Amino acid sequence: MGIALGLGDLEAEERALAQAALEVSTHAYAPYSHYAVGAALRTHAGAVHRGCNVENAAYGVVLCAEVGALAAANVAGAGDAVQVIAVTGHLMAAGAAQDGAVVTPCGRCRQLILEAAHRARHDIRVLCCNHDLSRVEVFTIAQLLPHGFGPGNLGLG
Ligand code: THU
């Protein structure tokens, strides 16, 4: 499904995006899951917007990293210009055994990225990275959320 790559196989801009996601994951507020996630997206204009997960004692209101990055793009007036988004995550405990698996966006985040793809009028690349970026699986949002509910269902092409 996704193409498994090492970071070095990506073009420079996407490599930088994965690194930006890793950097911003250090700002995660995740005292409950102890799992830090970072997301970084690039717009058509080349701007990078980032987000990290922000948890809450009321567990259900957690903000995922992708939500922050997408919100930042919207704040900058670029919610309709998202080209590619990178996501990475790691267990925060010192010395924690990382499982090495790539992070794929949760279902809600896939729905949000699908809407961004509709607004951009093209599919969006999703770079799913593991904890240290040694593994990257490249998907498109159409692959991650096939048959998704979208504006077309509401008669909005
Ligand atoms: N998380 C994200 O930030 N993005 C995802 O796509 C998957 C899950 C966060 C939410 C929560 O703070 C932690 O990871 C564990 O679920």
Side-chain angles (χ1 to χ4, degrees), residues 24 28-30 33 35-40 50-56 59-72 85 87-88 103-110 112-113:
V24 75
Y29 173 66
S33 73
Y35 189 71
V37 183
R50 309 188 307 166
C52 59
N53 55 331
V54 181
E55 296 185 346
N56 193 286
Y59 287 9
V61 300
V62 60
L63 302 178
C64 283
E66 297 91 325
V67 171
L70 289 164
I85 182 166
V87 187
T88 181
V103 179
T104 51
C106 78
R108 181 172 187 266
C109 289
R110 293 180 197 202
L112 294 171
I113 297 167

mmCIF file of all heavy atoms in Angstrom, residues 24 28-30 33 35-40 50-56 59-72 85 87-88 103-110 112-113:
data_model
loop_
_atom_site.group_PDB
_atom_site.id
_atom_site.type_symbol
_atom_site.label_atom_id
_atom_site.label_comp_id
_atom_site.label_asym_id
_atom_site.label_seq_id
_atom_site.Cartn_x
_atom_site.Cartn_y
_atom_site.Cartn_z
ATOM 1 N N VAL A 24 8.752 19.312 16.303
ATOM 2 C CA VAL A 24 7.583 19.850 17.005
ATOM 3 C C VAL A 24 6.982 18.801 17.941
ATOM 4 O O VAL A 24 6.294 19.163 18.904
ATOM 5 C CB VAL A 24 6.553 20.428 16.017
ATOM 6 C CG1 VAL A 24 5.771 19.336 15.297
ATOM 7 C CG2 VAL A 24 5.591 21.361 16.736
ATOM 8 N N ALA A 28 4.904 18.332 22.440
ATOM 9 C CA ALA A 28 3.652 17.639 22.771
ATOM 10 C C ALA A 28 3.355 17.756 24.266
ATOM 11 O O ALA A 28 4.271 17.740 25.098
ATOM 12 C CB ALA A 28 3.750 16.168 22.379
ATOM 13 N N TYR A 29 2.078 17.856 24.568
ATOM 14 C CA TYR A 29 1.627 17.785 25.967
ATOM 15 C C TYR A 29 0.849 16.487 26.070
ATOM 16 O O TYR A 29 -0.309 16.416 25.628
ATOM 17 C CB TYR A 29 0.757 18.995 26.306
ATOM 18 C CG TYR A 29 0.123 18.915 27.678
ATOM 19 C CD1 TYR A 29 0.904 18.947 28.837
ATOM 20 C CD2 TYR A 29 -1.255 18.790 27.819
ATOM 21 C CE1 TYR A 29 0.318 18.863 30.100
ATOM 22 C CE2 TYR A 29 -1.852 18.712 29.075
ATOM 23 C CZ TYR A 29 -1.049 18.745 30.206
ATOM 24 O OH TYR A 29 -1.624 18.657 31.451
ATOM 25 N N ALA A 30 1.508 15.457 26.553
ATOM 26 C CA ALA A 30 0.895 14.122 26.541
ATOM 27 C C ALA A 30 1.152 13.386 27.854
ATOM 28 O O ALA A 30 1.762 12.315 27.878
ATOM 29 C CB ALA A 30 1.428 13.324 25.351
ATOM 30 N N SER A 33 -1.086 9.688 27.795
ATOM 31 C CA SER A 33 -0.668 8.568 26.938
ATOM 32 C C SER A 33 0.853 8.417 26.915
ATOM 33 O O SER A 33 1.366 7.358 26.550
ATOM 34 C CB SER A 33 -1.157 8.785 25.503
ATOM 35 O OG SER A 33 -0.406 9.801 24.861
ATOM 36 N N TYR A 35 2.649 9.605 24.781
ATOM 37 C CA TYR A 35 2.974 9.378 23.374
ATOM 38 C C TYR A 35 2.974 10.739 22.674
ATOM 39 O O TYR A 35 1.933 11.407 22.594
ATOM 40 C CB TYR A 35 1.944 8.438 22.745
ATOM 41 C CG TYR A 35 2.326 7.977 21.370
ATOM 42 C CD1 TYR A 35 3.379 7.077 21.190
ATOM 43 C CD2 TYR A 35 1.643 8.427 20.242
ATOM 44 C CE1 TYR A 35 3.738 6.652 19.926
ATOM 45 C CE2 TYR A 35 1.999 7.991 18.974
ATOM 46 C CZ TYR A 35 3.050 7.106 18.831
ATOM 47 O OH TYR A 35 3.417 6.672 17.579
ATOM 48 N N ALA A 36 4.122 11.173 22.239
ATOM 49 C CA ALA A 36 4.270 12.489 21.621
ATOM 50 C C ALA A 36 4.151 12.366 20.109
ATOM 51 O O ALA A 36 4.805 11.521 19.490
ATOM 52 C CB ALA A 36 5.632 13.080 21.977
ATOM 53 N N VAL A 37 3.335 13.217 19.526
ATOM 54 C CA VAL A 37 3.137 13.204 18.073
ATOM 55 C C VAL A 37 3.447 14.588 17.519
ATOM 56 O O VAL A 37 3.117 15.610 18.141
ATOM 57 C CB VAL A 37 1.686 12.801 17.713
ATOM 58 C CG1 VAL A 37 1.501 12.723 16.199
ATOM 59 C CG2 VAL A 37 1.326 11.471 18.350
ATOM 60 N N GLY A 38 4.074 14.620 16.379
ATOM 61 C CA GLY A 38 4.312 15.881 15.671
ATOM 62 C C GLY A 38 3.816 15.757 14.247
ATOM 63 O O GLY A 38 3.902 14.680 13.639
ATOM 64 N N ALA A 39 3.275 16.849 13.727
ATOM 65 C CA ALA A 39 2.829 16.883 12.332
ATOM 66 C C ALA A 39 3.325 18.178 11.706
ATOM 67 O O ALA A 39 3.340 19.224 12.371
ATOM 68 C CB ALA A 39 1.303 16.807 12.248
ATOM 69 N N ALA A 40 3.749 18.106 10.481
ATOM 70 C CA ALA A 40 4.164 19.310 9.759
ATOM 71 C C ALA A 40 3.641 19.195 8.335
ATOM 72 O O ALA A 40 3.770 18.129 7.708
ATOM 73 C CB ALA A 40 5.690 19.441 9.747
ATOM 74 N N ARG A 50 2.940 23.601 11.634
ATOM 75 C CA ARG A 50 3.232 22.453 12.496
ATOM 76 C C ARG A 50 2.204 22.308 13.607
ATOM 77 O O ARG A 50 1.528 23.267 13.981
ATOM 78 C CB ARG A 50 4.623 22.637 13.113
ATOM 79 C CG ARG A 50 5.706 22.951 12.087
ATOM 80 C CD ARG A 50 7.071 22.938 12.677
ATOM 81 N NE ARG A 50 7.192 23.805 13.846
ATOM 82 C CZ ARG A 50 8.205 23.770 14.691
ATOM 83 N NH1 ARG A 50 9.186 22.894 14.502
ATOM 84 N NH2 ARG A 50 8.254 24.583 15.712
ATOM 85 N N GLY A 51 2.108 21.130 14.136
ATOM 86 C CA GLY A 51 1.229 20.894 15.281
ATOM 87 C C GLY A 51 1.740 19.720 16.094
ATOM 88 O O GLY A 51 2.474 18.867 15.578
ATOM 89 N N CYS A 52 1.395 19.716 17.365
ATOM 90 C CA CYS A 52 1.720 18.586 18.236
ATOM 91 C C CYS A 52 0.458 18.212 19.006
ATOM 92 O O CYS A 52 -0.487 19.007 19.071
ATOM 93 C CB CYS A 52 2.853 18.940 19.192
ATOM 94 S SG CYS A 52 2.492 20.353 20.251
ATOM 95 N N ASN A 53 0.430 17.012 19.561
ATOM 96 C CA ASN A 53 -0.770 16.622 20.305
ATOM 97 C C ASN A 53 -0.823 17.342 21.648
ATOM 98 O O ASN A 53 0.196 17.613 22.277
ATOM 99 C CB ASN A 53 -0.886 15.107 20.455
ATOM 100 C CG ASN A 53 0.312 14.432 21.073
ATOM 101 O OD1 ASN A 53 1.437 14.908 20.945
ATOM 102 N ND2 ASN A 53 0.089 13.318 21.732
ATOM 103 N N VAL A 54 -2.041 17.672 22.038
ATOM 104 C CA VAL A 54 -2.298 18.395 23.286
ATOM 105 C C VAL A 54 -3.404 17.637 24.013
ATOM 106 O O VAL A 54 -4.554 17.631 23.561
ATOM 107 C CB VAL A 54 -2.731 19.851 23.009
ATOM 108 C CG1 VAL A 54 -2.963 20.599 24.321
ATOM 109 C CG2 VAL A 54 -1.691 20.576 22.152
ATOM 110 N N GLU A 55 -3.019 16.963 25.095
ATOM 111 C CA GLU A 55 -3.996 16.125 25.808
ATOM 112 C C GLU A 55 -4.694 16.919 26.900
ATOM 113 O O GLU A 55 -4.376 18.090 27.163
ATOM 114 C CB GLU A 55 -3.276 14.881 26.357
ATOM 115 C CG GLU A 55 -2.736 14.022 25.219
ATOM 116 C CD GLU A 55 -2.119 12.705 25.664
ATOM 117 O OE1 GLU A 55 -1.856 12.525 26.873
ATOM 118 O OE2 GLU A 55 -1.904 11.856 24.780
ATOM 119 N N ASN A 56 -5.672 16.271 27.530
ATOM 120 C CA ASN A 56 -6.515 16.939 28.512
ATOM 121 C C ASN A 56 -6.970 15.909 29.536
ATOM 122 O O ASN A 56 -7.166 14.740 29.181
ATOM 123 C CB ASN A 56 -7.730 17.550 27.783
ATOM 124 C CG ASN A 56 -8.493 18.523 28.631
ATOM 125 O OD1 ASN A 56 -9.214 18.145 29.543
ATOM 126 N ND2 ASN A 56 -8.327 19.797 28.339
ATOM 127 N N TYR A 59 -10.180 13.108 28.821
ATOM 128 C CA TYR A 59 -9.438 12.434 27.743
ATOM 129 C C TYR A 59 -9.987 12.685 26.343
ATOM 130 O O TYR A 59 -9.253 12.825 25.386
ATOM 131 C CB TYR A 59 -9.426 10.920 27.982
ATOM 132 C CG TYR A 59 -8.523 10.442 29.095
ATOM 133 C CD1 TYR A 59 -7.900 11.324 29.973
ATOM 134 C CD2 TYR A 59 -8.301 9.087 29.270
ATOM 135 C CE1 TYR A 59 -7.089 10.869 30.989
ATOM 136 C CE2 TYR A 59 -7.484 8.618 30.284
ATOM 137 C CZ TYR A 59 -6.874 9.519 31.149
ATOM 138 O OH TYR A 59 -6.072 9.048 32.148
ATOM 139 N N GLY A 60 -11.316 12.713 26.238
ATOM 140 C CA GLY A 60 -11.936 12.752 24.911
ATOM 141 C C GLY A 60 -11.700 14.030 24.135
ATOM 142 O O GLY A 60 -11.974 14.071 22.938
ATOM 143 N N VAL A 61 -11.191 15.061 24.780
ATOM 144 C CA VAL A 61 -11.021 16.323 24.056
ATOM 145 C C VAL A 61 -9.587 16.529 23.567
ATOM 146 O O VAL A 61 -9.193 17.639 23.218
ATOM 147 C CB VAL A 61 -11.496 17.553 24.874
ATOM 148 C CG1 VAL A 61 -12.968 17.422 25.208
ATOM 149 C CG2 VAL A 61 -10.657 17.762 26.120
ATOM 150 N N VAL A 62 -8.808 15.472 23.539
ATOM 151 C CA VAL A 62 -7.422 15.581 23.057
ATOM 152 C C VAL A 62 -7.380 16.199 21.653
ATOM 153 O O VAL A 62 -8.239 15.938 20.811
ATOM 154 C CB VAL A 62 -6.763 14.184 23.048
ATOM 155 C CG1 VAL A 62 -7.500 13.231 22.139
ATOM 156 C CG2 VAL A 62 -5.305 14.264 22.639
ATOM 157 N N LEU A 63 -6.387 17.042 21.451
ATOM 158 C CA LEU A 63 -6.138 17.600 20.118
ATOM 159 C C LEU A 63 -4.982 16.828 19.496
ATOM 160 O O LEU A 63 -3.882 16.789 20.056
ATOM 161 C CB LEU A 63 -5.750 19.084 20.207
ATOM 162 C CG LEU A 63 -6.755 20.008 20.891
ATOM 163 C CD1 LEU A 63 -6.191 21.430 20.951
ATOM 164 C CD2 LEU A 63 -8.085 19.980 20.154
ATOM 165 N N CYS A 64 -5.210 16.228 18.366
ATOM 166 C CA CYS A 64 -4.142 15.510 17.672
ATOM 167 C C CYS A 64 -3.182 16.508 17.021
ATOM 168 O O CYS A 64 -3.537 17.657 16.730
ATOM 169 C CB CYS A 64 -4.723 14.608 16.590
ATOM 170 S SG CYS A 64 -5.461 13.092 17.217
ATOM 171 N N ALA A 65 -1.984 16.032 16.746
ATOM 172 C CA ALA A 65 -0.964 16.874 16.120
ATOM 173 C C ALA A 65 -1.425 17.406 14.763
ATOM 174 O O ALA A 65 -1.197 18.569 14.415
ATOM 175 C CB ALA A 65 0.316 16.067 15.965
ATOM 176 N N GLU A 66 -2.107 16.556 14.008
ATOM 177 C CA GLU A 66 -2.545 16.966 12.668
ATOM 178 C C GLU A 66 -3.571 18.088 12.758
ATOM 179 O O GLU A 66 -3.630 18.966 11.885
ATOM 180 C CB GLU A 66 -3.176 15.773 11.933
ATOM 181 C CG GLU A 66 -2.226 14.612 11.682
ATOM 182 C CD GLU A 66 -2.232 13.578 12.802
ATOM 183 O OE1 GLU A 66 -2.376 13.969 13.983
ATOM 184 O OE2 GLU A 66 -2.081 12.387 12.509
ATOM 185 N N VAL A 67 -4.391 18.047 13.819
ATOM 186 C CA VAL A 67 -5.394 19.105 14.002
ATOM 187 C C VAL A 67 -4.687 20.450 14.162
ATOM 188 O O VAL A 67 -5.083 21.455 13.567
ATOM 189 C CB VAL A 67 -6.276 18.795 15.235
ATOM 190 C CG1 VAL A 67 -7.174 19.979 15.567
ATOM 191 C CG2 VAL A 67 -7.101 17.543 14.985
ATOM 192 N N GLY A 68 -3.619 20.461 14.976
ATOM 193 C CA GLY A 68 -2.868 21.701 15.182
ATOM 194 C C GLY A 68 -2.256 22.221 13.896
ATOM 195 O O GLY A 68 -2.314 23.421 13.601
ATOM 196 N N ALA A 69 -1.669 21.312 13.124
ATOM 197 C CA ALA A 69 -1.021 21.740 11.879
ATOM 198 C C ALA A 69 -2.052 22.273 10.886
ATOM 199 O O ALA A 69 -1.836 23.308 10.230
ATOM 200 C CB ALA A 69 -0.233 20.578 11.276
ATOM 201 N N LEU A 70 -3.174 21.575 10.774
ATOM 202 C CA LEU A 70 -4.220 22.027 9.842
ATOM 203 C C LEU A 70 -4.827 23.348 10.314
ATOM 204 O O LEU A 70 -5.098 24.249 9.498
ATOM 205 C CB LEU A 70 -5.299 20.959 9.688
ATOM 206 C CG LEU A 70 -4.872 19.711 8.908
ATOM 207 C CD1 LEU A 70 -5.848 18.568 9.138
ATOM 208 C CD2 LEU A 70 -4.740 20.018 7.414
ATOM 209 N N ALA A 71 -5.010 23.482 11.621
ATOM 210 C CA ALA A 71 -5.547 24.740 12.142
ATOM 211 C C ALA A 71 -4.577 25.886 11.849
ATOM 212 O O ALA A 71 -5.000 26.977 11.450
ATOM 213 C CB ALA A 71 -5.804 24.619 13.644
ATOM 214 N N ALA A 72 -3.295 25.636 12.021
ATOM 215 C CA ALA A 72 -2.293 26.688 11.760
ATOM 216 C C ALA A 72 -2.315 27.104 10.291
ATOM 217 O O ALA A 72 -2.193 28.298 9.974
ATOM 218 C CB ALA A 72 -0.906 26.194 12.159
ATOM 219 N N ILE A 85 1.641 16.326 4.146
ATOM 220 C CA ILE A 85 1.732 16.401 5.607
ATOM 221 C C ILE A 85 2.559 15.222 6.105
ATOM 222 O O ILE A 85 2.404 14.092 5.621
ATOM 223 C CB ILE A 85 0.328 16.456 6.261
ATOM 224 C CG1 ILE A 85 0.425 16.592 7.786
ATOM 225 C CG2 ILE A 85 -0.538 15.267 5.870
ATOM 226 C CD1 ILE A 85 -0.893 16.985 8.457
ATOM 227 N N VAL A 87 3.878 13.034 9.575
ATOM 228 C CA VAL A 87 3.479 12.714 10.954
ATOM 229 C C VAL A 87 4.504 11.757 11.550
ATOM 230 O O VAL A 87 4.953 10.820 10.885
ATOM 231 C CB VAL A 87 2.085 12.043 10.993
ATOM 232 C CG1 VAL A 87 1.612 11.864 12.430
ATOM 233 C CG2 VAL A 87 1.060 12.843 10.207
ATOM 234 N N THR A 88 4.862 12.009 12.805
ATOM 235 C CA THR A 88 5.753 11.095 13.515
ATOM 236 C C THR A 88 5.336 11.034 14.967
ATOM 237 O O THR A 88 4.665 11.950 15.457
ATOM 238 C CB THR A 88 7.233 11.547 13.392
ATOM 239 O OG1 THR A 88 8.065 10.605 14.088
ATOM 240 C CG2 THR A 88 7.466 12.917 13.998
ATOM 241 N N VAL A 103 3.705 6.092 12.207
ATOM 242 C CA VAL A 103 2.435 6.613 12.726
ATOM 243 C C VAL A 103 1.531 6.958 11.545
ATOM 244 O O VAL A 103 1.925 7.736 10.676
ATOM 245 C CB VAL A 103 2.658 7.897 13.553
ATOM 246 C CG1 VAL A 103 1.320 8.436 14.061
ATOM 247 C CG2 VAL A 103 3.592 7.617 14.712
ATOM 248 N N THR A 104 0.374 6.357 11.536
ATOM 249 C CA THR A 104 -0.623 6.743 10.536
ATOM 250 C C THR A 104 -1.696 7.572 11.240
ATOM 251 O O THR A 104 -2.016 7.321 12.402
ATOM 252 C CB THR A 104 -1.258 5.496 9.881
ATOM 253 O OG1 THR A 104 -1.705 4.616 10.913
ATOM 254 C CG2 THR A 104 -0.258 4.786 8.993
ATOM 255 N N PRO A 105 -2.214 8.587 10.580
ATOM 256 C CA PRO A 105 -3.216 9.459 11.217
ATOM 257 C C PRO A 105 -4.439 8.679 11.679
ATOM 258 O O PRO A 105 -4.860 7.724 11.015
ATOM 259 C CB PRO A 105 -3.592 10.447 10.106
ATOM 260 C CG PRO A 105 -2.440 10.428 9.170
ATOM 261 C CD PRO A 105 -1.890 9.033 9.223
ATOM 262 N N CYS A 106 -5.000 9.118 12.797
ATOM 263 C CA CYS A 106 -6.220 8.483 13.300
ATOM 264 C C CYS A 106 -7.379 8.782 12.336
ATOM 265 O O CYS A 106 -7.265 9.605 11.417
ATOM 266 C CB CYS A 106 -6.543 8.990 14.706
ATOM 267 S SG CYS A 106 -7.298 10.639 14.763
ATOM 268 N N GLY A 107 -8.488 8.128 12.552
ATOM 269 C CA GLY A 107 -9.613 8.260 11.626
ATOM 270 C C GLY A 107 -10.127 9.684 11.506
ATOM 271 O O GLY A 107 -10.433 10.164 10.406
ATOM 272 N N ARG A 108 -10.223 10.365 12.648
ATOM 273 C CA ARG A 108 -10.720 11.751 12.614
ATOM 274 C C ARG A 108 -9.770 12.638 11.808
ATOM 275 O O ARG A 108 -10.215 13.479 11.015
ATOM 276 C CB ARG A 108 -10.870 12.275 14.043
ATOM 277 C CG ARG A 108 -11.407 13.676 14.130
ATOM 278 C CD ARG A 108 -11.709 14.040 15.593
ATOM 279 N NE ARG A 108 -12.376 15.315 15.673
ATOM 280 C CZ ARG A 108 -11.748 16.473 15.865
ATOM 281 N NH1 ARG A 108 -10.435 16.498 16.002
ATOM 282 N NH2 ARG A 108 -12.434 17.596 15.906
ATOM 283 N N CYS A 109 -8.482 12.446 12.010
ATOM 284 C CA CYS A 109 -7.504 13.262 11.270
ATOM 285 C C CYS A 109 -7.545 12.953 9.779
ATOM 286 O O CYS A 109 -7.364 13.845 8.952
ATOM 287 C CB CYS A 109 -6.111 13.056 11.847
ATOM 288 S SG CYS A 109 -5.936 13.810 13.484
ATOM 289 N N ARG A 110 -7.801 11.706 9.436
ATOM 290 C CA ARG A 110 -7.930 11.369 8.008
ATOM 291 C C ARG A 110 -9.094 12.145 7.394
ATOM 292 O O ARG A 110 -9.009 12.646 6.274
ATOM 293 C CB ARG A 110 -8.141 9.856 7.828
ATOM 294 C CG ARG A 110 -6.930 9.066 8.216
ATOM 295 C CD ARG A 110 -7.105 7.574 8.058
ATOM 296 N NE ARG A 110 -6.066 6.894 8.823
ATOM 297 C CZ ARG A 110 -5.643 5.662 8.618
ATOM 298 N NH1 ARG A 110 -6.182 4.933 7.662
ATOM 299 N NH2 ARG A 110 -4.688 5.147 9.364
ATOM 300 N N LEU A 112 -10.225 15.018 8.377
ATOM 301 C CA LEU A 112 -9.836 16.429 8.260
ATOM 302 C C LEU A 112 -8.898 16.646 7.077
ATOM 303 O O LEU A 112 -8.992 17.647 6.358
ATOM 304 C CB LEU A 112 -9.164 16.889 9.570
ATOM 305 C CG LEU A 112 -10.085 16.908 10.799
ATOM 306 C CD1 LEU A 112 -9.279 17.154 12.069
ATOM 307 C CD2 LEU A 112 -11.172 17.965 10.640
ATOM 308 N N ILE A 113 -7.992 15.699 6.864
ATOM 309 C CA ILE A 113 -7.063 15.819 5.729
ATOM 310 C C ILE A 113 -7.828 15.658 4.419
ATOM 311 O O ILE A 113 -7.537 16.333 3.418
ATOM 312 C CB ILE A 113 -5.915 14.789 5.856
ATOM 313 C CG1 ILE A 113 -5.076 15.072 7.108
ATOM 314 C CG2 ILE A 113 -5.029 14.830 4.602
ATOM 315 C CD1 ILE A 113 -4.118 13.933 7.489
#
